[in-house]
Amino acid sequence: MGDPMTEYAARLQQQEREIRSLSAEIESLKNPQNLSPSPRLGELQEENARLKYRLNVLKRSLQEDKTHCSKAMININQRLQEIFGGAIRSSCPELDNPPLAVTPNQQAKFGDYQCNSAMAMAQMLKAKGMKVNPREIAEKIIQNLPDNELVQKTEIAGPGFINIHLKRSFVSRLLSNLLVNGVQPPPLASRKKVVVDFSSPNIAKEMHVGHLRSTIIGDSMCRLFEFLGYDVLRLNHVGDWGTQFGMLIAHLQDKFPNYLTVSPPISDLQAFYKESKKRFDEDEDFKKRAYQCVVRLQSKEPEFIKGWNLICDVSRREFQRVYDCLDVKIIERGESYYQDLMTRVVKEFEEKGLVELDEGRKIVFAPGQSIPLTVVKSDGGYTYDTSDLAALHQRLFEEKADVVIYVTDSGQGTHFQLVFAAAQRIGWYNPQVTRVEHAGFGVVLGEDKKKFKTRSGDTVRLMDLLEEGLKRSMDKLKEKERDKVLTPEELTRAQRAVAFGCVKYADLSHNRINDYVFSFDKMLDDRGNTAAYLLYAFTRIRSIARLANIDEATLKKAAETTEILLDHDKEWKLGKCILRFPEILQKILDDLLLHTLCDYLYELATTFTEFYDSCYCVEKDRKTGEVVKINMWRMLLCEATAAIMAKGFDILGINPVERM
């Protein structure tokens, strides 16, 4: 016996060759020149019908083999679009690029999905001078549908909607595939290189609540791309270069004159920064020395590089505390990394005649933009514009990125628009081929709907915020008396899961483009669309098998041998909801809006509750409480729900716990 996967692959290749051959024969039979008056005309027409039938059988077999052969989850919407796309083109060959619209049906009584293309096609035909009723177009689309493994039946409704009913056997098979193989991403056409620039705090300054959104959103985007199989580079473009380092090094020399041999005990870098800034603003001699320090740092004199490194290291340790809490992995590559490249980038713009002089500055205008980029200041120094152009150049040409995403606040939108336009003008990338995008986000507001500040009006330190979250989550767990049933280790794990999960979910569950109100009370509420609700729901689902004394091995065996029945309306609704996961991920891949995943997980949890309330998974004796019957296919639906929720949490950067 050979390897089943190899045998499947060989069968698929043979079938695809036969399909191509049969398709060519059909095309030949359609050609009137090949059908000159002949006694064989009837014979040829019969042969044509047989070939068409055989072709459809082979296509269906090919689709089914692909479904069986693949361990990956299938995007049902995408598969329906392939099937309906072909039927739409066949039904109206006179239309170039006819519209293709297949969406999940909002009302179960009208089917599972809906194709809404007929109305738009009728409008396009009308523009060409052809008046056709949309319902007639819908009829033709249905007539041109190939045999397939998905669709049980179709119905035309209203002005020309096509309601699509899925085959229950197909959905059941996909659920079994999910349970046997785990949550596997849909196959990738090609493994692209993705660079995500996020977090990006400034050295010598505390990370504050403004960095929270970039860090959480950027990390979740990386997790999504990584799960889908992309090659992801997570970059932290820290502010580690510039004039502020002159005053910091000058202050370091005064306060810790032996810093080259003894590591200075700087415990509060924020206070150190404020002290040096005060001297810089008030003391002219100090200011002059600070500027000299900048020049000597940029000349890379060893003792100044050592002072700069000491300051950067203190900041890095503070940043890492935040990243450890939030379970964020990121590679630091600050502005200093691009210093040498900036000179080359400016020279390239000059050589291509794109640089203009403006009162001593060197500026670049991008097409269609009224504001220029300043690539060299009047004193000869470089700017943020220069470093961002250099960073983009390095990512495109050295990293060979296919996708570059910048996760910063929306206020920087215009700046990135200029940088991207300038990069396109000089010919660094074609937006039709390479995706370069600014994923902007709104600001964090306090409960008074104003910018989130401390009572004294200072910016909120991120570490203080996370420590407050830990305290509040422990209070919440004790209020629910979880400290009486969990071990100390379990309680600590639950505390961290709730605290950091709630902070992340509160951010990600809002459309990132909008501002959002930061409220611990709302975050920790275990009702509604919150992490607290979802984490408790997940723990409950995971406990069902445990309380019925069903071990993992039994569930694994059942996944391979038990057919998942979907006869009850709530079973059917839950099964379809579980399988929409790949569609959700594809949508986020397109628009980078992660709240869609949060909305989906909440929908999945509430759909599961409906199912669990209506369908007995475990039946117990009412008097003794003993288990008398286990409906294993329903236990498998519980497992499939938990598997999808766990993967969804993983993409959001949330760590659920088995016991809470």
Side-chain angles (χ1 to χ4, degrees):
M1 288 289 288
D3 173 27
M5 291 291 286
T6 310
E7 287 174 20
Y8 267 130
R11 276 178 60 197
L12 290 176
Q13 287 173 356
Q14 175 63 30
Q15 286 176 346
E16 283 171 343
R17 283 196 294 271
E18 199 173 337
I19 285 172
R20 285 196 293 272
S21 169
L22 289 167
S23 296
E25 282 190 57
I26 287 174
E27 290 307 311
S28 170
L29 288 168
K30 283 180 182 175
N31 190 337
Q33 291 174 352
N34 295 340
L35 297 175
S36 53
S38 157
R40 291 191 62 237
L41 180 59
E43 193 181 316
L44 285 168
Q45 286 173 330
E46 279 183 32
E47 179 67 11
N48 187 317
R50 279 200 302 274
L51 285 171
K52 277 187 175 177
Y53 174 76
R54 177 73 182 137
L55 178 61
N56 275 334
V57 169
L58 280 169
K59 279 183 176 174
R60 186 172 61 197
S61 174
L62 180 62
Q63 280 185 329
E64 286 176 356
D65 270 2
K66 280 181 177 173
T67 305
H68 286 303
C69 192
S70 173
K71 289 185 176 181
M73 287 191 77
I74 287 172
N75 184 330
I76 294 175
N77 196 324
Q78 213 166 55
R79 185 66 68 85
L80 286 171
Q81 286 184 34
E82 289 167 12
I83 292 166
F84 275 81
I88 285 166
R89 286 189 295 275
S90 300
S91 63
C92 277
E94 59 271 43
L95 288 181
D96 295 324
N97 297 318
L100 173 59
V102 178
T103 56
N105 224 327
Q106 298 306 310
Q107 295 186 58
K109 64 181 178 181
F110 295 130
D112 306 311
Y113 285 80
Q114 193 172 71
C115 176
N116 303 333
S117 299
M119 287 73 75
M121 289 166 72
Q123 289 297 320
M124 289 173 76
L125 288 168
K126 189 177 178 182
K128 285 176 170 275
M130 292 178 272
K131 193 172 180 183
V132 186
N133 188 316
R135 285 183 71 96
E136 288 176 36
I137 296 171
E139 284 282 4
K140 285 175 86 176
I141 292 170
I142 290 171
Q143 286 163 13
N144 280 285
L145 284 174
D147 285 345
N148 61 84
E149 83 277 35
L150 281 83
V151 180
Q152 179 70 39
K153 65 173 181 174
T154 52
E155 298 161 339
I156 299 172
F161 299 115
I162 302 173
N163 290 329
I164 305 161
H165 297 259
L166 297 176
K167 287 181 181 172
R168 298 200 177 214
S169 58
F170 173 72
V171 171
S172 174
R173 196 164 68 243
L174 291 191
L175 289 166
S176 294
N177 183 53
L178 160 64
L179 287 159
V180 170
N181 298 309
V183 185
Q184 302 292 338
L188 267 186
S190 61
R191 189 168 188 254
K192 293 181 176 179
K193 176 76 175 273
V194 179
V195 173
V196 184
D197 176 326
F198 68 104
S199 194
S200 309
N202 289 311
I203 294 288
K205 292 184 180 177
E206 294 270 15
M207 282 182 83
H208 56 76
V209 75
H211 296 113
L212 181 69
R213 298 208 75 184
S214 178
T215 305
I216 289 171
I217 294 166
D219 177 57
S220 188
M221 283 181 187
C222 291
R223 287 168 178 270
L224 172 65
F225 280 109
E226 285 159 355
F227 170 65
L228 293 172
Y230 291 88
D231 177 14
V232 180
L233 178 61
R234 301 155 158 259
L235 289 184
N236 199 0
H237 190 80
V238 296
D240 66 350
W241 204 252
T243 52
Q244 77 270 27
F245 283 94
M247 68 180 192
L248 289 165
I249 291 170
H251 189 51
L252 181 72
Q253 289 171 333
D254 293 346
K255 198 162 184 182
F256 304 104
N258 60 344
Y259 74 91
L260 290 171
T261 52
V262 180
S263 186
I266 306 172
S267 57
D268 189 345
L269 196 56
Q270 190 79 354
F272 187 85
Y273 182 90
K274 284 178 180 175
E275 287 168 15
S276 63
K277 182 76 170 75
K278 188 171 187 292
R279 291 182 71 190
F280 185 84
D281 292 340
E282 296 172 1
D283 185 338
E284 276 303 314
D285 289 340
F286 180 81
K287 184 182 278 192
K288 282 177 191 170
R289 198 151 58 82
Y291 281 129
Q292 287 166 0
C293 287
V294 172
V295 173
R296 296 179 76 179
L297 174 64
Q298 290 174 340
S299 302
K300 298 187 178 171
E301 290 186 28
E303 65 182 83
F304 289 86
I305 290 291
K306 173 90 187 271
W308 171 73
N309 269 323
L310 283 168
I311 292 162
C312 288
D313 284 342
V314 176
S315 267
R316 284 187 192 111
R317 286 194 292 274
E318 284 301 304
F319 297 162
Q320 198 55 49
R321 287 179 67 206
V322 171
Y323 296 141
D324 287 345
C325 282
L326 296 175
D327 191 22
V328 170
K329 306 285 185 290
I330 194 165
I331 294 168
E332 184 187 308
R333 198 177 282 177
E335 290 168 21
S336 60
Y337 183 90
Y338 305 100
Q339 286 305 299
D340 296 338
L341 184 55
M342 288 190 213
T343 307
R344 300 206 299 275
V345 162
V346 172
K347 189 179 176 190
E348 186 180 337
F349 274 92
E350 285 176 328
E351 285 171 351
K352 296 204 173 167
L354 301 176
V355 173
E356 298 175 29
L357 283 173
D358 178 60
E359 297 180 353
R361 296 183 306 152
K362 290 182 179 180
I363 61 172
V364 172
F365 276 99
Q369 306 293 332
S370 57
I371 307 166
L373 289 167
T374 299
V375 292
V376 182
K377 294 187 290 186
S378 54
D379 64 3
Y382 295 132
T383 66
Y384 284 124
D385 295 347
T386 331
S387 68
D388 278 333
L389 281 167
L392 181 54
H393 183 281
Q394 193 275 339
R395 291 160 188 182
L396 292 170
F397 292 100
E398 290 180 37
E399 300 299 344
K400 296 187 168 38
D402 302 292
V403 181
V404 185
I405 296 166
Y406 293 81
V407 186
T408 74
D409 66 273
S410 297
Q412 296 187 50
T414 304
H415 164 71
F416 281 112
Q417 206 175 329
L418 295 172
V419 170
F420 301 162
Q424 287 171 48
R425 185 183 181 194
I426 202 170
W428 287 353
Y429 76 96
N430 176 355
Q432 302 300 316
V433 178
T434 306
R435 181 181 183 181
V436 180
E437 191 169 336
H438 175 232
F441 53 80
V443 297
V444 182
L445 304 174
E447 295 193 63
D448 57 0
K449 305 288 172 67
K450 294 177 181 173
K451 214 166 181 181
F452 197 34
K453 301 270 187 187
T454 62
R455 282 181 183 158
S456 60
D458 292 333
T459 307
V460 179
R461 287 175 69 245
L462 197 41
M463 208 58 225
D464 290 347
L465 196 74
L466 296 175
E467 284 168 357
E468 173 74 5
L470 283 170
K471 179 187 171 298
R472 288 195 183 221
S473 69
M474 182 59 83
D475 291 345
K476 189 80 176 176
L477 288 163
K478 286 182 175 176
E479 183 188 307
K480 287 177 162 287
E481 300 189 333
R482 303 312 295 160
D483 53 324
K484 294 178 181 175
V485 292
L486 299 176
T487 66
E489 292 79 15
E490 286 173 335
L491 187 64
T492 301
R493 280 200 295 273
Q495 175 195 22
R496 291 179 71 85
V498 172
F500 304 141
C502 286
V503 169
K504 287 183 179 187
Y505 194 86
D507 192 319
L508 296 168
S509 61
H510 290 84
N511 186 325
R512 65 171 162 77
I513 295 162
N514 302 333
D515 299 342
Y516 94 97
V517 174
F518 191 98
S519 164
F520 272 124
D521 290 339
K522 285 181 183 172
M523 286 178 196
L524 294 164
D525 193 340
D526 53 14
R527 296 161 299 177
N529 188 5
T530 65
Y533 169 77
L534 288 175
L535 286 165
Y536 286 121
F538 177 79
T539 305
R540 281 197 301 275
I541 296 167
R542 278 285 191 227
S543 70
I544 294 166
R546 189 172 66 245
L547 294 173
N549 294 318
I550 303 170
D551 60 21
E552 209 169 305
T554 305
L555 286 167
K556 194 171 174 56
K557 178 75 176 166
E560 293 167 355
T561 57
T562 305
E563 181 188 357
I564 297 176
L565 304 177
L566 301 166
D567 298 332
H568 194 287
D569 285 350
K570 300 301 181 186
E571 293 170 338
W572 180 235
K573 184 179 179 183
L574 179 60
K576 288 185 297 174
C577 188
I578 291 166
L579 295 177
R580 279 203 2 254
F581 188 56
E583 297 171 29
I584 299 299
L585 299 189
Q586 183 57 53
K587 184 180 184 306
I588 301 166
L589 204 60
D590 294 339
D591 61 23
L592 303 177
L593 295 172
L594 288 149
H595 70 276
T596 307
L597 177 55
C598 299
D599 291 344
Y600 166 74
L601 290 175
Y602 180 60
E603 182 190 343
L604 181 59
T606 52
T607 303
F608 177 84
T609 301
E610 287 177 25
F611 153 79
Y612 193 67
D613 288 347
S614 304
C615 304
Y616 287 115
C617 297
V618 179
E619 296 181 34
K620 294 182 178 179
D621 185 292
R622 289 188 179 181
K623 290 180 181 175
T624 65
E626 284 183 30
V627 173
V628 293
K629 186 182 178 186
I630 293 171
N631 295 316
M632 191 55 80
W633 78 94
R634 289 176 177 164
M635 295 302 301
L636 292 175
L637 278 170
C638 297
E639 284 300 296
T641 304
I644 293 292
M645 286 185 77
K647 181 50 68 180
F649 284 145
D650 187 50
I651 290 169
L652 297 173
I654 294 170
N655 297 314
V657 287
E658 292 288 327
R659 284 168 61 78
M660 253 176 71

